[in-house]
Amino acid sequence: MTLPRLARTAPPVGVGIVHLGLGAFFRAHGAVYVQEAVAASGGAWGVLGVSLQSPDTRNRLDPQGGTYLAVEQGPAGEVARHVQIVQGVRVAPEDPGAVLAAMAAPGTRIVSLTVTEKGYCHEPSTGQLNPDHPDIRHDLANPLPRSAPGFLVRALQARRAAGLAPCTVLSCDNLPDNGRVVRGVVLDLARRIDPALADWIAAEGRFPGTMVDRIVPATRPEDIVRVAALTGWQDEAPVLHEPFRQWVVQDDFVGGDRPDLGAVGVQLVSDVAPFEHMKLRMLNGTHSALAYLGYLAGHATIAETVADPAFAAFVRRLWATEIIPALTPPPGVDLPAYAGQLFDRYANPAIRHRTWQIAMDGSQKLPQRILGTLDSNFKAGRPSPGLLLALAAWVTYVSGTDLQGQPIDVRDPLADTLRAAATSADPVGAILALRQVFPEPLAARLDAPLRAARAALMASGARAALTPA
Ligand code: CS2
């Protein structure tokens, strides 16, 4: 039976937000919140989505009027909701000028981003712009950009030239102080193009920090088939997500202009940092630890990994003895209770979140997820056996060969460099020498304990190494 193609049923909403990086995460998180805020309080806050790389999402969404189903996967089954806040999709490499025009339009008051860690073209260890990044080199020499920082700077330049206020730049990526990082790369790039532009952005621009949270595994072809059977609609681009969601936003927008996020459960605060640190270290840190160790132990998903009692005990120990002691809780938050809630979220069997998916881009993720905690623990004289083992698992992972000699499909912007280091005569020494990832003093402190953790991992395998002797 041929099912009807999903189609727009809601009237269009004027575009107020241009979103760079229209991936599954934003479609299951920010877009849903904005749709609810517009339903609650109105406002021309429709979203124009931009894909910075491939046309795939546009090709799937266009025939559906930009709409899609967001499917909540909870213990009681799946519930689909029709998301219609995305008004259209642009593919940046096809027409960068059209993207800039949308970002510079008077109605656009927010440019939000989910471009992943590597999309900021910064050095993960310092947060500073990498001026040698090929896309940054390109964007310095050409008015039509390729990178996210390039689009932001050129759009702000056009707004200034047109006598408009800047748009608020809202980073929704898992970076510590994401507002400060995006502000830093934008100002650095702008200064290299036009110092007066940089001064204007520094004075007038706003870059609120955010903490975003919802587990959104990649959609598989079989999910598309299942969602069609569940709903009776043929949707070529559904997104799947857990019931939980959280969005903490620093309330600092140009002219105070934003959707009524507070009406739909977004926490508007003056300082996001404690929330970001908690989430990056407790959720993303253990996600990465479980991803590398779980993958090496033969587990395909996070739910499968924490269903293994050795891993369940390991992750609970990580929170209790290595991560929570190094954190300052955000106001009103009970960190052990938060850890318990995270465990239940990981264990949700309906969410098939692959260890391989989370293992991607470790060079960009580990500094804020794991290295910050390790550094605090070194300084406090607190042992971190579990985090060291996770780091040792990453060294093996990026070598491209698992402990049984099977190949690993490593995805990372530094994949070639990492593989060369991890397959050299001194893998730990060569990996720790990568200054993009490991700052000097931390690398020196890590040397001996990481060698010991790696030796234990190689001797007994990932699962056995989890349990302290
Ligand atoms: C995950 C995150 O893929 C990853 O690296 O750790 O995408 C994680 O699922 C989200 O940050 C949850 O909010």
Side-chain angles (χ1 to χ4, degrees):
M1 193 182 68
T2 312
L3 294 173
R5 186 74 183 258
L6 191 72
R8 175 172 292 277
T9 56
V13 179
V15 169
I17 300 176
V18 173
H19 184 80
L20 306 184
L22 191 67
F25 178 77
F26 175 75
R27 294 198 288 124
H29 182 268
V32 176
Y33 275 110
V34 172
Q35 170 158 309
E36 289 177 11
V38 171
S41 312
W45 292 110
V47 176
L48 182 80
V50 176
S51 294
L52 288 173
Q53 280 152 13
S54 112
D56 182 59
T57 302
R58 189 270 321 272
N59 293 348
R60 290 168 187 266
L61 287 181
D62 261 7
Q64 309 178 172
T67 75
Y68 56 91
L69 298 168
V71 181
E72 177 172 305
Q73 303 187 296
E78 300 190 300
V79 183
R81 129 179 7 201
H82 193 187
V83 181
Q84 312 206 42
I85 196 69
V86 176
Q87 308 299 306
V89 186
R90 300 278 177 276
V91 180
E94 288 178 3
D95 193 350
V99 173
L100 282 180
M103 293 169 76
T108 299
R109 285 148 293 153
I110 296 176
V111 173
S112 50
L113 301 89
T114 47
V115 294
T116 80
E117 295 84 350
K118 60 181 178 287
Y120 291 83
C121 307
H122 69 305
E123 292 281 14
S125 61
T126 63
Q128 310 280 314
L129 182 76
N130 172 8
D132 296 326
H133 191 292
D135 290 349
I136 297 298
R137 280 174 181 268
H138 171 275
D139 292 357
L140 278 167
N142 296 280
L144 291 177
R146 274 188 197 151
S147 71
F151 274 103
L152 291 168
V153 169
R154 294 295 180 182
L156 289 165
Q157 188 176 35
R159 295 185 77 94
R160 178 167 179 252
L164 293 170
C167 43
T168 297
V169 176
L170 191 66
S171 165
C172 300
D173 281 294
N174 285 315
L175 292 166
D177 299 326
N178 52 15
R180 197 184 47 79
V181 169
V182 71
R183 182 176 190 272
V185 296
V186 164
L187 287 181
D188 188 336
L189 184 59
R191 200 159 298 286
R192 292 165 196 262
I193 291 172
D194 174 3
L197 172 65
D199 291 342
W200 179 75
I201 297 171
E204 308 290 328
R206 292 291 179 272
F207 301 80
T210 65
M211 181 269 249
V212 293
D213 190 9
R214 173 165 262 181
I215 292 175
V216 182
T219 303
R220 304 165 300 167
E222 54 264 49
D223 296 317
I224 294 179
V225 173
R226 201 184 62 258
V227 171
L230 173 79
T231 62
W233 291 98
Q234 188 62 37
D235 176 359
E236 290 298 329
V239 288
L240 314 172
H241 61 79
E242 64 171 338
F244 182 90
R245 66 176 183 178
Q246 189 174 11
W247 198 3
V248 187
V249 177
Q250 182 188 3
D251 200 5
D252 184 23
F253 289 72
V254 175
D257 206 8
R258 57 164 170 74
D260 189 4
L261 298 172
V264 294
V266 175
Q267 293 161 265
L268 294 154
V269 302
S270 58
D271 182 13
V272 182
F275 293 94
E276 274 180 338
H277 288 133
M278 170 184 79
K279 193 258 172 174
L280 286 168
R281 292 178 173 200
M282 289 188 63
L283 192 160
N284 300 107
T286 56
H287 243 184
S288 290
L290 293 171
Y292 298 116
L293 287 160
Y295 184 97
L296 294 182
H299 294 311
T301 67
I302 291 291
E304 207 182 280
T305 307
V306 299
D308 177 335
F311 276 95
F314 171 77
V315 70
R316 290 188 192 282
R317 211 165 44 237
L318 266 186
W319 282 314
T321 65
E322 301 185 31
I323 302 177
I324 291 178
L327 277 174
T328 307
V333 177
D334 177 59
L335 294 179
Y338 181 75
Q341 188 184 35
L342 289 179
F343 188 88
D344 294 344
R345 291 169 62 193
Y346 291 180
N348 178 352
I351 297 283
R352 288 194 49 83
H353 203 185
R354 291 177 67 191
T355 47
W356 176 81
Q357 185 186 350
I358 298 166
M360 274 184 221
D361 294 347
S363 68
Q364 317 292 302
K365 293 174 173 174
L366 292 182
Q368 57 274 16
R369 294 180 177 211
I370 288 183
L371 302 186
T373 306
L374 276 170
D375 193 45
S376 306
N377 287 349
F378 277 130
K379 287 176 180 151
R382 197 181 305 118
S384 318
L387 293 174
L388 286 162
L389 190 66
L391 204 53
W394 177 66
V395 177
T396 295
Y397 188 90
V398 298
S399 76
T401 309
D402 72 13
L403 297 167
Q404 281 74 44
Q406 297 302 311
I408 304 176
D409 179 6
V410 179
R411 304 284 173 93
D412 194 295
L414 297 183
D416 293 342
T417 309
L418 293 170
R419 180 189 291 252
T423 54
S424 70
D426 176 18
V428 168
I431 287 272
L432 290 177
L434 299 173
R435 284 294 157 266
Q436 305 99 309
V437 183
F438 299 94
E440 172 79 66
L442 179 64
R445 283 193 168 115
L446 279 168
D447 192 80
L450 186 56
R451 285 176 196 280
R454 183 160 190 279
L457 178 69
M458 304 299 276
S460 55
R463 195 169 182 280
L466 298 175
T467 315

